[in-house]
């Protein structure tokens, strides 16, 4: 539900969460001066990694190569990064040290780490050391700082204080799209629709009532459906990502009081009944569906998309609100992307007539310097930590996870409203480096029947039998059409 159906206004919602987190840190003993910090939406981006040993925020690629490194609000140069990280590389598997900040809720947490490091750097009472800061007999390690922020994040969400503030001013913190009821009603006509959220029922009910309230211009007394009617199955308190593993006991919710009924539910699906807990296996059993028959829409690359894909084999749709900004920059700054592409071509030309017998070493110093300048200029168009998906021509860790685990992705699930539900989504072919060296001949699609006949003749081997790769391709298309 959160950030999928209920889209929180940015930066208003992050500002609220940040203020609540700072207040809590001060209440447990952190300096009052932290209250002077205000949330800056231009600094954080999703997908960063926090190094709990050295206190750095890192942007990395899928292999763990460091693309950007910030300590507080200071950005480290290449030579400075090498002093702390051999080969500008981290072991992402070391989850005890490196924590990935993948969710939209993590944006305030990301910025708070930078604020804390910045505060202690500039505080005269503390002296810096490799793993943190010292003041007399007191030692504030980056690991302790990380744990305090994590605990504060949990407190703000689990105590209900953030939810209470949000519900107190829904117009300020939650976007209401009048197209949402239409989308869900059409989805339910075409198939089965379920809602699985980590939120408790009272909060879910309040948010959904707001989203499905009387549309603007609709007079009271006009036929209006309860938000429950748009779903065949509603499950709250799912505790994702555990939901995609063993899960928890499934119980019924009293719609009037919001309280859980005693005992585990073991019966069939009942329409209009709200459930709590359970697991993804339970979803499949109650709805009578499995695997690729389900298109699961979520905003959490790990808790929603990766887990549902690897555990259940569900089709996945990742909601990425940042795409609006990403596409805007991609369009407005196309000249920078073009220059970077041309610099790569220029580099290739310098080595074009050289081979292993050549002693000549082209001077590429100026080209490499220009690539860094263009890459930095591109990054600054997105924000201080750059793009969510790339750093120059290199893709980020978040981008690689998106490509690997999300079958579809878009700014909003509302995009589905503009496609027939029978639509066959297929990704454009991506050439591997060796394939891109072969010139591609444009095809004439003026006569589709002739084109398809040529392609069919092309894939038929001389003995008249289909080869394995062709069968594999045909089967995947049949599965998608189902």
């Amino acid at each position: 539900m959160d950030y999928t159906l209920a889209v929180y206004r940015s930066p208003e919602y992050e500002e609220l969460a940040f203020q609540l987190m700072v207040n809590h840190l001060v209440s447990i003993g952190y300096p009052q001066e932290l209250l002077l910090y205000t949330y800056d939406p231009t600094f954080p981006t999703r997908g960063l990694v926090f190094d709990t040993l050295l206190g750095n925020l890192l942007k990395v690629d899928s292999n763990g190569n460091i693309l950007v490194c910030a300590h507080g609000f200071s950005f480290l140069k290449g030579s400075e990064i090498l002093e702390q990280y051999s080969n500008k590389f981290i072991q992402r598997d070391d989850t005890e040290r490196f924590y990935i900040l993948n969710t939209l809720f993590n944006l305030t947490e990301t910025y708070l780490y930078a604020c804390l490091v910045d505060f202690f750097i500039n505080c005269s009472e503390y002296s810096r050391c490799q793993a943190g800061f010292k003041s007399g007999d007191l030692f504030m390690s980056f690991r302790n700082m990380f744990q305090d922020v994590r605990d504060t994040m949990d407190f703000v969400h689990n105590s209900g204080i953030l939810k209470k503030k949000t519900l107190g001013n829904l117009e300020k913190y939650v976007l209401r799209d009048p197209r949402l009821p239409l989308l869900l009603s059409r989805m339910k006509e075409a198939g089965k629709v379920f809602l699985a959220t980590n939120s408790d029922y009272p909060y879910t009910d309040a948010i959904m009532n707001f989203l499905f309230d009387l549309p603007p211009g609709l007079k009271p007394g006009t036929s209006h459906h309860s938000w429950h009617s748009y779903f065949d199955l509603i499950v709250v308190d799912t505790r994702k990502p555990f939901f995609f593993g063993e899960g928890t006991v499934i119980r019924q919710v009293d719609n009037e009081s919001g309280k859980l009924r005693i005992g585990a539910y073991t019966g069939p699906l009942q329409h209009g009944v709200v459930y709590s807990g359970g697991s993804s296996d339970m979803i499949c059993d109650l709805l009578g569906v499995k695997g690729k028959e389900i298109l699961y829409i979520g905003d959490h690359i790990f808790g929603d998309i990766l887990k549902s894909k690897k555990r259940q084999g569900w089709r996945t749709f990742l909601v990425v609100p940042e795409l609006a900004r990403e596409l805007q920059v991609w369009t407005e700054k196309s000249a920078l992307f073009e220059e970077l592409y041309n610099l790569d071509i220029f580099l290739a030309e310098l080595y074009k007539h050289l081979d292993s017998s050549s002693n000549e070493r082209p001077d590429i110093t100026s080209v490499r310097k220009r690539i860094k300048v263009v890459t930095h200029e591109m990054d600054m168009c997105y924000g201080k930590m750059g793009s969510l998906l790339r750093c120059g021509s290199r893709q980020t860790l978040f981008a690689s996870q998106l490509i690997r685990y999300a079958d579809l992705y878009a700014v909003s699930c509302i995009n589905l409203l503009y496609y027939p539900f029978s639509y066959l989504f297929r990704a454009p072919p991506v050439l591997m480096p060796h394939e891109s060296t072969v010139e591609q001949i444009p095809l004439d699609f003026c006569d589709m029947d002739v084109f398809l006949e040529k392609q069919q003749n092309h894939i038929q081997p001389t003995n008249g039998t289909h080869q394995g790769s062709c069968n594999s391709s045909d089967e995947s298309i049949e599965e998608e059409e189902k």
Side-chain angles (χ1 to χ4, degrees), residues 53-192:
L53 177 62
L54 301 179
N56 297 324
L57 285 167
L58 309 170
K59 178 189 281 189
V60 301
D61 65 13
S62 60
N63 297 314
N65 297 302
I66 299 174
L67 306 175
V68 179
C69 176
H71 192 70
F73 297 121
S74 300
F75 289 85
L76 277 62
K77 298 178 180 179
S79 57
E80 295 173 320
I81 297 174
L82 278 172
E83 291 176 2
Q84 300 186 35
Y85 304 94
S86 177
N87 298 319
K88 294 186 179 180
F89 173 81
I90 65 169
Q91 291 283 353
R92 289 200 299 109
D93 295 340
D94 186 359
T95 54
E96 287 294 316
R97 176 177 175 180
F98 300 107
Y99 184 79
I100 303 176
L101 300 150
N102 259 340
T103 76
L104 288 159
F105 287 118
N106 288 142
L107 288 174
T108 50
E109 185 179 353
T110 300
Y111 187 67
L112 188 51
Y113 288 129
C115 290
L116 289 175
V117 173
D118 178 74
F119 171 79
F120 285 107
I121 287 175
N122 295 291
C123 183
S124 58
E125 297 180 12
Y126 288 84
S127 59
R128 299 175 63 176
C129 58
Q130 185 180 30
F133 303 92
K134 293 194 69 173
S135 177
D137 295 331
L138 298 177
F139 175 56
M140 172 59 75
S141 69
F142 294 118
R143 180 70 192 181
N144 290 343
M145 194 183 301
F146 164 77
Q147 194 58 60
D148 287 342
V149 173
R150 283 269 75 225
D151 291 344
T152 298
M153 184 77 167
D154 291 339
F155 169 80
V156 166
H157 284 272
N158 297 336
S159 68
I161 185 173
L162 178 60
K163 292 177 181 177
K164 183 178 179 180
K165 292 284 188 180
T166 303
L167 295 180
N169 197 341
L170 286 170
E171 289 286 355
K172 180 178 180 180
Y173 298 119
V174 182
L175 285 168
R176 178 164 46 190
D177 195 320
R179 297 170 295 177
L180 185 58
L182 177 60
L183 171 63
L184 288 179
S185 63
R186 289 181 179 177
M187 290 175 72
K188 194 174 180 186
E189 289 174 2
K192 299 176 181 178

Side-chain angles (χ1 to χ4, degrees), residues 189-334:
E189 289 174 2
K192 299 176 181 178
V193 184
F194 71 91
L195 172 67
T197 176
N198 282 357
S199 296
D200 56 43
Y201 180 71
Y203 183 73
T204 300
D205 187 48
I207 291 291
M208 296 298 280
N209 276 325
F210 172 74
L211 294 177
F212 289 83
D213 198 0
L214 292 176
L218 191 63
K219 298 179 180 179
T222 306
S223 177
H224 182 61
H225 300 290
S226 163
W227 69 267
H228 298 80
S229 66
Y230 293 92
F231 301 94
D232 295 281
L233 173 62
I234 301 169
V235 188
V236 299
D237 306 314
T238 55
R239 294 187 63 198
K240 293 176 285 184
F242 302 107
F243 181 75
F244 294 105
E246 295 182 4
T248 57
V249 175
I250 180 172
R251 299 169 67 181
Q252 283 186 320
V253 179
D254 186 314
N255 291 10
E256 296 299 324
S257 65
K259 295 181 179 180
L260 301 182
R261 295 180 177 175
I262 61 173
Y265 182 75
T266 59
L269 175 64
Q270 297 183 36
H271 291 283
V273 173
V274 178
Y275 301 90
S276 171
S279 67
S280 54
D281 289 331
M282 176 273 299
I283 292 281
C284 296
D285 292 340
L286 288 178
L287 293 178
V289 294
K290 62 181 180 179
K292 293 181 180 179
E293 294 175 328
I294 295 177
L295 174 63
Y296 182 70
I297 305 173
D299 66 284
H300 194 322
I301 188 69
F302 177 79
D304 287 323
I305 304 304
L306 184 150
K307 285 296 183 179
S308 63
K309 171 68 70 176
K310 295 183 72 173
R311 176 69 173 79
Q312 293 286 1
W314 291 356
R315 301 283 191 184
T316 54
F317 182 126
L318 181 65
V319 175
V320 188
E322 299 96 330
L323 276 182
R325 177 61 179 162
E326 296 277 334
L327 285 170
Q328 179 185 4
V329 173
W330 186 264
T331 303
E332 295 177 353
K333 302 296 180 180
S334 58

Side-chain angles (χ1 to χ4, degrees), residues 101 109 349 381 478:
L101 300 150
E109 185 179 353
E349 288 295 322
C381 295
E478 288 172 4

Side-chain angles (χ1 to χ4, degrees), residues 8-35:
Y8 296 103
R9 294 183 184 272
S10 182
E12 290 85 357
Y13 187 72
E14 289 84 10
E15 289 171 350
L16 171 64
F18 178 78
Q19 193 58 57
L20 293 174
M21 291 179 71
V22 172
N23 290 344
H24 182 71
L25 284 176
V26 171
S27 73
I28 64 173
Y30 275 75
Q32 291 278 339
E33 289 81 0
L34 286 177
L35 296 172

